């Protein structure tokens, strides 16, 4: 009887889904993500269509999504553009958290982009008793962008890089044939990972229902460089303190540290905020004598972030551009040539290689992941740069290792 009732319930669910989702968009034969064409096979279309129909099933619930989209997508789109990621990654944030800042998964991933604590801190997010930047739309979107860009440096394919966001870099690499790195056309079928299928469903479900003309202009981002308390910030911008705190659940203290620039979502439009904060642009900034002094590494990391560069293995790095010479970079980051060469295990007569990350501080003795599958033409030095590991340590860890599986840290002994 229970089995029969289950089938009847399932039948009515499918009937309900079909009847009330007539207006949901239909899955096309192909879609485009940046420079990648995804050909959607007939065998997987029903699965994706179910994802799309489920999102359109309840119109009130769908409108709640749209309301959040109209607040947060303008911010996410701007950051993705600045970080040079495809705009379609905004649907990944929607998929991860429904754009709910306080979202927490069963595995204790938190915030808009569902970061776990260790990974979040590796990418520069502050997490302590009073601040959790995983709940900050600006900070978390920048961190997620850098994570995905780091993966794309290896895969040269945004879809595989997206998969790494779920499985981690090492996990994604185990699932992806190296011969497919750099693919510009892909077949989406029953073999495609469910995480990618779900993303495609979200993109199809929402993209034609978003009108940028309807984006909510009653919210803006205020980058705090002046105020050391939420009380002062709210008073000076003529805002209700509780409204400010409810929109910024990432901070649960009145104290605002001035060790970095924290971005607040403000319930006011940009023009009003500009006029209210005009005094702060004239140099009349409150001073905080108790401000924690930044270490040299902190300063370099902040410099890197402002220059839209990378954090690899938790360390500040730049991708060398052949249009600039080494002196330009050294002047930008206030590093001597000798230190730069030492940090990167290179000699003064060695040419910098475009596309390779170079570090602004000493690399670590081990990587975050256990193993890297070496490509045929890769040197240990290139791998040491890719993962932010000292070359001498990498050689020591891999002594007598003649396989293509390069150890990035010593194997755990159980």
């Amino acid at each position: 009887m229970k089995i029969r009732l289950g089938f009847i319930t399932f039948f009515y669910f499918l009937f309900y889904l079909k009847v009330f989702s007539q207006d949901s968009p239909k899955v096309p034969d192909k879609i485009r993500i940046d420079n990648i064409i995804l050909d959607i096979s007939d065998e997987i279309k029903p699965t994706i269509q179910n994802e799309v129909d489920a999102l359109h099933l309840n119109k009130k619930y769908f409108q709640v999504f749209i309301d959040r989209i109209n607040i947060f997508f303008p911010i996410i789109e701007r950051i993705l553009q600045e970080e040079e990621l495809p705009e379609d990654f905004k649907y990944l944030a929607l998929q991860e958290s429904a754009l709910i800042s306080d979202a927490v998964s069963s595995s204790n991933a938190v915030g808009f982009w569902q970061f776990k604590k260790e990974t979040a801190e590796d990418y520069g997010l502050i997490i302590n008793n009073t601040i959790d930047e995983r709940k900050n739309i600006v900070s978390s979107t920048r961190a997620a962008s850098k994570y995905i860009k780091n993966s794309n440096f290896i895969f040269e394919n945004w879809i595989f890089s997206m998969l790494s966001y779920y499985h981690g870099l090492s996990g994604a690499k185990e699932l992806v044939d190296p011969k497919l790195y750099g693919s510009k056309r892909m077949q989406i079928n029953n073999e495609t990972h469910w995480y990618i299928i779900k993303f495609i469903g979200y993109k199809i479900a929402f993209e034609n229902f978003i009108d940028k003309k309807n984006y909510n202009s009653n919210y803006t981002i205020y980058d705090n460089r002046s105020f050391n308390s939420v009380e002062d910030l709210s008073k000076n911008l003529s805002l209700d303190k509780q409204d400010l705190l409810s929109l910024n659940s990432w901070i649960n203290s009145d104290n605002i540290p001035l060790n970095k620039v924290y971005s607040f979502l403000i319930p006011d439009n940009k023009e009003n905020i500009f006029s209210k904060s005009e005094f702060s642009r004239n140099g009349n900034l409150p001073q905080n004598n108790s401000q924690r002094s930044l270490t040299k590494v902190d300063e370099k990391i902040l410099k890197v972030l402002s220059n839209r560069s990378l954090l690899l293995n938790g360390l500040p790095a730049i991708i060398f551009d052949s249009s600039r010479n080494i002196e330009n970079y050294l002047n930008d980051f206030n590093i001597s040539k000798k230190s730069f060469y030492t940090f990167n295990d290179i000699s003064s007569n060695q040419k910098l290689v475009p596309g390779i990350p170079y570090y602004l501080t000493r690399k670590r003795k081990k990587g975050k992941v256990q193993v890297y599958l070496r490509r045929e033409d890769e040197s240990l030095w290139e791998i040491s740069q890719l993962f932010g590991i000292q070359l001498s340590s990498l050689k020591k860890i891999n002594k007598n290792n003649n396989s293509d599986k390069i150890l990035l840290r010593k194997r755990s002994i159980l």
Side-chain angles (χ1 to χ4, degrees):
M1 182 63 182
K2 288 183 179 179
I3 294 176
R4 181 176 176 79
L5 183 61
F7 274 117
I8 292 173
T9 303
F10 181 66
F11 170 79
Y12 275 111
F13 172 75
L14 291 180
F15 176 78
Y16 185 77
L17 190 65
K18 184 175 182 180
V19 170
F20 289 93
S21 60
Q22 296 298 314
D23 295 332
S24 64
K26 303 308 173 188
V27 178
D29 294 330
K30 65 183 67 175
I31 64 171
R32 188 184 188 98
I33 307 291
D34 193 48
N35 61 346
I36 302 173
I37 301 295
L38 304 181
D39 294 306
I40 303 174
S41 67
D42 290 338
E43 64 182 11
I44 199 63
K45 277 186 179 181
T47 303
I48 300 176
Q49 191 66 59
N50 283 343
E51 287 281 351
V52 175
D53 292 345
L55 288 166
H56 280 265
L57 185 60
N58 186 313
K59 295 305 177 187
K60 289 184 178 179
Y61 183 63
F62 188 80
Q63 186 58 47
V64 169
F65 270 98
I66 295 297
D67 291 342
R68 290 186 193 136
I69 282 170
N70 287 338
I71 294 173
F72 293 111
F73 267 17
I75 301 166
I76 294 174
E77 286 172 5
R78 174 176 60 80
I79 294 171
L80 291 176
Q81 182 180 29
E82 291 172 356
E83 297 290 344
E84 300 179 337
L85 261 73
E87 187 178 294
D88 280 334
F89 272 100
K90 63 190 179 185
Y91 299 112
L92 190 62
L94 193 64
Q95 172 183 329
E96 285 286 339
S97 67
L99 300 179
I100 299 172
S101 63
D102 292 325
V104 180
S105 75
S106 57
S107 61
N108 287 322
V110 174
F112 288 101
W113 290 87
Q114 292 290 279
F115 272 105
K116 290 187 177 179
K117 186 174 186 294
E118 183 182 22
T119 305
E121 291 177 335
D122 284 344
Y123 281 80
L125 298 183
I126 303 298
I127 302 172
N128 54 41
N129 292 333
T130 59
I131 286 175
D132 190 341
E133 284 194 287
R134 293 175 294 181
K135 302 177 183 181
N136 184 307
I137 185 63
V138 174
S139 304
S140 63
T141 302
R142 289 208 184 278
S145 298
K146 294 180 191 306
Y147 186 103
I148 294 166
K149 281 199 299 187
N150 288 354
S151 295
N152 200 55
F153 180 74
I154 295 173
F155 291 122
E156 298 179 14
N157 176 291
W158 292 117
I159 303 302
F160 298 148
S161 301
M162 183 188 302
L163 184 59
S164 79
Y165 197 76
Y166 176 78
H167 270 297
L169 179 58
S170 58
K173 285 169 65 177
E174 289 179 5
L175 297 173
V176 178
D177 185 342
K179 293 179 182 177
L180 298 177
Y181 291 7
S183 298
K184 296 296 180 277
R185 191 158 199 145
M186 301 175 63
Q187 183 79 8
I188 303 301
N189 53 37
N190 284 336
E191 300 298 318
T192 303
H193 196 281
W194 68 265
Y195 190 71
I196 304 304
I197 296 298
K198 195 174 187 69
F199 172 81
I200 293 171
Y202 268 75
K203 173 179 164 62
I204 294 171
F206 285 97
E207 64 179 345
N208 291 327
F209 291 82
I210 298 172
D211 187 348
K212 294 187 178 184
K213 293 179 182 178
N214 294 329
Y215 278 174
N216 197 322
S217 61
N218 293 319
Y219 297 88
T220 192
I221 293 297
Y222 181 80
D223 293 327
N224 181 58
R225 294 180 173 84
S226 311
F227 306 106
N228 56 17
S229 77
V230 176
E231 184 77 31
D232 288 344
L233 175 61
S234 58
K235 283 182 178 178
N236 279 276
L237 297 183
S238 302
L239 299 172
D240 181 84
K241 181 180 177 180
Q242 291 309 311
D243 287 346
L244 190 60
L245 287 172
S246 67
L247 285 171
N248 294 276
S249 62
W250 57 270
I251 183 168
N252 58 17
S253 167
D254 185 58
N255 180 58
I256 307 173
L258 293 180
N259 59 333
K260 64 183 289 187
V261 175
Y262 289 99
S263 299
F264 283 81
L265 181 64
I266 302 293
D268 208 342
N269 64 52
K270 190 173 295 184
E271 289 73 19
N272 284 348
I273 291 299
F274 180 85
S275 62
K276 290 174 183 177
S277 59
E278 186 73 29
F279 75 94
S280 69
R281 300 173 187 274
N282 296 325
N284 301 319
L285 306 181
Q287 298 299 313
N288 179 11
N289 294 327
S290 62
Q291 177 181 345
R292 180 179 69 83
S293 60
L294 300 179
T295 67
K296 290 184 178 180
V297 172
D298 290 333
E299 291 172 351
K300 289 171 185 175
I301 289 176
L302 291 175
K303 184 75 172 179
V304 166
L305 292 175
S306 67
N307 279 274
R308 300 188 315 206
S309 297
L310 300 174
L311 284 175
L312 297 174
N313 205 4
L315 302 172
I318 55 172
I319 301 295
F320 177 62
D321 179 353
S322 58
S323 66
R324 303 186 71 203
N325 59 41
I326 181 62
E327 282 75 17
N328 294 144
Y329 286 107
L330 298 181
N331 289 335
D332 281 351
F333 296 101
N334 193 28
I335 298 175
S336 70
K337 277 189 177 182
K338 182 179 179 181
S339 296
F340 183 80
Y341 294 141
T342 301
F343 294 158
N344 292 282
D345 299 307
I346 57 177
S347 60
S348 58
N349 59 359
Q350 192 170 334
K351 290 184 178 180
L352 299 190
V353 182
I356 292 288
Y358 288 86
Y359 293 85
L360 308 174
T361 190
R362 192 176 299 278
K363 291 181 288 183
R364 302 192 189 279
K365 292 185 177 181
K366 61 182 180 180
K368 291 291 182 184
V369 296
Q370 183 84 53
V371 176
Y372 172 67
L373 186 61
R374 179 185 198 170
R375 283 184 279 179
E376 190 175 344
D377 58 345
E378 278 184 308
S379 67
L380 276 182
W381 175 80
E382 288 176 304
I383 296 171
S384 77
Q385 293 299 108
L386 187 59
F387 290 96
I389 306 169
Q390 295 174 22
L391 182 58
S392 58
S393 295
L394 194 62
K395 287 179 177 178
K396 185 176 180 180
I397 296 170
N398 289 276
K399 187 177 181 181
N400 300 322
N401 177 16
N402 297 317
S403 73
D404 57 355
K405 293 182 178 179
I406 302 301
L407 295 175
L408 304 179
R409 58 191 302 149
K410 291 181 180 179
R411 292 191 184 277
S412 300
I413 299 175
L414 301 178

